[in-house]
Amino acid sequence: MLDKTLTQLAAGLAQGDFSSVELTQAYLKRIRSHNTDLNAYITVTDDIALAQAATADEHRAAGNAVPLTGLPIAHKDIFCTQGVRTSCGSRMLDNFIAPYESTVTARLAGAGAVMLGKTNLDEFAMGSSTESSYYGPTRNPWNRDTVPGGSSGGSATAVAARLAAAATGTDTGGSIRQPAAFTGITGLKPTYGRVSRWGMIAYGSSLDCGGPMTQTAEDAALMLNAIAGFDPKDSTSMDRPVEDYQARLNEPLAGLRIGLPKEYFGDGLNEGIRAAVMAAVSELEKLGATVKDISLPRTELSIPAYYIIAPAEASTNLSRYDGVRYGYRCKDPVDLEDLYKRSRAEGFGAEVQRRILVGTYALSAGYYDAYYKKAQQLRRLIRDDFQTGFQEVDVILAPTTPSPAWTLGEKSNDPVAMYLEDIYTLSTNLAGLPALALPCGQVGGLPMGLQLIGNYFEESHLLNIGHQYQQVTDWHQQAPVL
Ligand code: GLN
């Protein structure tokens, strides 16, 4: 039962093959057996899950089922969930019980979903490996000595190891797509502004995007249907009608024009990943797509631009954690300055402090023009490169990551080496574009993936291509043996 996709489980519930309570109990049991080892969840909400499942079964019996009624999913612990600890992977928020519900989790609950718990992440979503969490690293279920990617590594491991039918994630610079690739699942980063950020703890506000992490593109469409749409509580939310993201899944791909950006296939790319991505391109050609080489010349500059802009926004966003209003407070402060300094020094981990220092420096008078303004100019050029590309092709196809999952601890003491691994995902966030990560092979027993990047609000097209690809391949069905 737990190997089924969200869509298959929805059908099973509708046919009465099992109840939501039975399904939820099965997931909770599997979580109990494997979470100590994998550390995918920070908090498991057994009681809430079973109560929601019982309500879901009642709704179904009364003929009031909606698309996600009774389906058990997990939430990245960056989404505020009312009455439930929302830690963001930080000691700073270890004692924080959210007083309100994020729009994403509220919409999923409104669509009938059951919450199994809150998943592990890099502290404040800063990282690419889920090693910087205050709650310890999450392990990759394909090989426990390797990282699951990050920052949404807990959600990725939960879905890959079948500890949840699907999960939410957030993507500021790749945090949905890269862990999806490292664990062999599907992940969608929507267009900036398509999914509300309200109640999602802020990292880089001009980059942050919530989205689905699932087994299949079809499931991602099902989840996106529930979470996409205008939210007056988020000033950057787009007031634009929502499509039915499942409507185009079965459209044929004949005539599709795919662009392969040469900068994403250069020297740093693992040869096994290159071969697997090119094999996927051949599959899409068989389905009627044509392929063209394109160039996104400013790709390399996405790393310096992002690693100025994201820390700059983080440094302002994190100034709210001052030991006064909520979150961690140091013991026995001697005065206000001591309270601020020690609360922040003790509450934040090393990577978060590093980002605050970099961001504050880049924003300071005298350096602002040299760093922050320059980075914003690069950001515009990176966006323009994509628009030039989209004049020639419908979608852009590239690897999601340059290498497969690395060994735990391997890059922990070398932040720059870790940042460089984000080379293929950062540009999309800087441009605000949607991108879908799909598993497309394995290298040395570890999954890897490709990504499809679309123009603004082209989610349904990306999901269509992903679904068609998953009709003729079975990488998305491969699961680790626990
Ligand atoms: N690895 C990137 C960073 O550390 C992206 C993280 C994310 O998307 N949240 O900033």
Side-chain angles (χ1 to χ4, degrees):
M1 179 160 71
L2 302 191
D3 250 333
K4 288 193 175 9
T5 66
L6 206 58
T7 310
Q8 290 164 343
L9 290 173
L13 287 168
Q15 288 155 22
D17 298 345
F18 41 81
S19 68
S20 176
V21 169
E22 285 164 348
L23 184 60
T24 303
Q25 279 167 338
Y27 277 111
L28 291 171
K29 185 163 169 231
R30 193 166 166 86
I31 293 168
R32 272 194 297 277
S33 311
H34 298 291
N35 197 53
T36 317
D37 182 23
L38 296 173
N39 202 24
Y41 287 86
I42 294 174
T43 306
V44 182
T45 51
D46 297 72
D47 295 347
I48 293 175
L50 289 168
Q52 288 177 338
T55 307
D57 286 335
E58 281 165 28
H59 283 314
R60 189 173 296 284
N64 296 327
V66 282
L68 299 178
T69 294
L71 294 169
I73 62 174
H75 292 309
K76 184 176 184 180
D77 203 15
I78 195 169
F79 289 99
C80 285
T81 42
Q82 190 168 13
V84 175
R85 175 173 64 176
T86 301
S87 74
C88 221
S90 182
R91 183 184 193 192
M92 186 57 89
L93 291 177
D94 183 47
N95 62 1
F96 177 62
I97 309 291
Y100 70 105
E101 190 79 19
S102 77
T103 297
V104 163
T105 53
R107 286 188 177 171
L108 286 164
V114 167
M115 174 172 78
L116 291 167
K118 308 289 298 285
T119 60
N120 203 7
L121 67 159
D122 280 298
E123 186 178 6
F124 284 103
M126 296 172 190
S128 313
S129 66
T130 316
E131 294 172 288
S132 74
S133 169
Y134 175 59
Y135 303 92
T138 296
R139 288 172 187 271
N140 189 324
W142 290 89
N143 174 346
R144 282 150 215 238
D145 296 331
T146 65
V147 300
S151 63
S152 315
S155 285
T157 287
V159 175
R162 312 306 191 226
L163 306 185
T168 51
T170 61
D171 194 310
T172 303
S175 282
I176 287 177
R177 291 163 286 157
Q178 184 256 22
F182 280 11
T183 58
I185 66 164
T186 301
L188 175 70
K189 176 231 174 279
T191 306
Y192 181 78
R194 181 70 300 187
V195 171
S196 169
R197 292 186 293 111
W198 198 73
M200 205 171 94
I201 294 174
Y203 165 15
S205 304
S206 75
L207 302 155
D208 296 343
C209 267
M213 301 179 74
T214 53
Q215 287 181 39
T216 63
E218 187 179 31
D219 285 1
L222 184 64
M223 258 177 98
L224 188 63
N225 272 347
I227 63 176
F230 178 61
D231 178 7
K233 290 186 255 179
D234 171 1
S235 61
T236 58
S237 165
M238 193 60 101
D239 192 357
R240 173 189 166 111
V242 177
E243 298 161 57
D244 174 359
Y245 293 102
Q246 290 173 297
R248 290 182 66 183
L249 289 177
N250 292 314
E251 275 180 19
L253 300 188
L256 173 71
R257 297 172 306 161
I258 297 176
L260 302 180
K262 70 170 197 280
E263 293 77 9
Y264 287 63
F265 291 88
D267 280 348
L269 178 61
N270 171 289
E271 288 308 320
I273 296 184
R274 183 194 310 275
V277 171
M278 291 319 291
V281 170
S282 306
E283 290 295 337
L284 291 168
E285 284 181 306
K286 281 189 227 155
L287 295 173
T290 56
V291 175
K292 186 174 179 158
D293 290 325
I294 61 162
S295 175
L296 298 170
R298 260 76 60 123
T299 300
E300 220 178 47
L301 298 176
S302 64
I303 294 187
Y306 174 91
Y307 278 101
I308 290 294
I309 293 170
E313 294 185 8
S315 86
T316 56
N317 274 324
L318 297 179
S319 65
R320 73 190 67 174
Y321 304 103
D322 55 6
V324 176
R325 285 168 286 193
Y326 55 92
Y328 179 81
R329 177 179 297 175
C330 68
K331 287 229 158 40
D332 307 321
V334 294
D335 56 23
L336 187 62
E337 195 169 312
D338 184 42
L339 168 77
Y340 287 155
K341 282 188 178 162
R342 277 204 294 123
S343 297
R344 289 167 68 80
E346 293 165 18
F348 290 136
E351 183 60 24
V352 172
Q353 295 192 25
R354 181 179 297 122
R355 306 267 180 129
I356 292 173
L357 289 173
V358 169
T360 307
Y361 181 84
L363 288 176
S364 56
Y367 294 109
Y368 179 92
D369 284 348
Y371 295 108
Y372 186 72
K373 200 166 151 210
K374 258 282 172 290
Q376 291 290 18
Q377 288 166 338
L378 289 180
R379 179 177 195 170
R380 176 63 190 217
L381 295 173
I382 288 164
R383 175 202 169 275
D384 290 348
D385 281 354
F386 279 111
Q387 291 313 310
T388 307
F390 286 127
Q391 282 171 6
E392 295 181 73
V393 297
D394 304 311
V395 293
I396 294 168
L397 189 152
T400 305
T401 63
S403 15
W406 54 86
T407 306
L408 278 156
E410 193 184 317
K411 298 186 199 291
S412 306
N413 297 322
D414 189 351
V416 175
M418 182 106 72
Y419 301 166
L420 291 172
E421 295 293 327
D422 296 339
I423 177 73
Y424 299 150
T425 50
L426 302 176
S427 308
T428 335
N429 297 75
L430 290 168
L433 295 166
L436 176 67
L438 302 164
C440 72
Q442 288 185 4
V443 176
L446 289 169
M448 41 69 54
L450 62 82
Q451 60 177 332
L452 293 163
I453 303 167
N455 213 338
Y456 301 108
F457 301 102
E458 286 284 324
E459 285 83 357
S460 60
H461 198 197
L462 299 181
L463 292 163
N464 162 230
I465 303 165
H467 181 64
Q468 291 305 307
Y469 173 72
Q470 291 180 335
Q471 298 311 294
V472 296
T473 54
D474 66 357
W475 296 110
H476 59 290
Q477 287 165 351
Q478 316 272 329
V481 180
L482 296 193

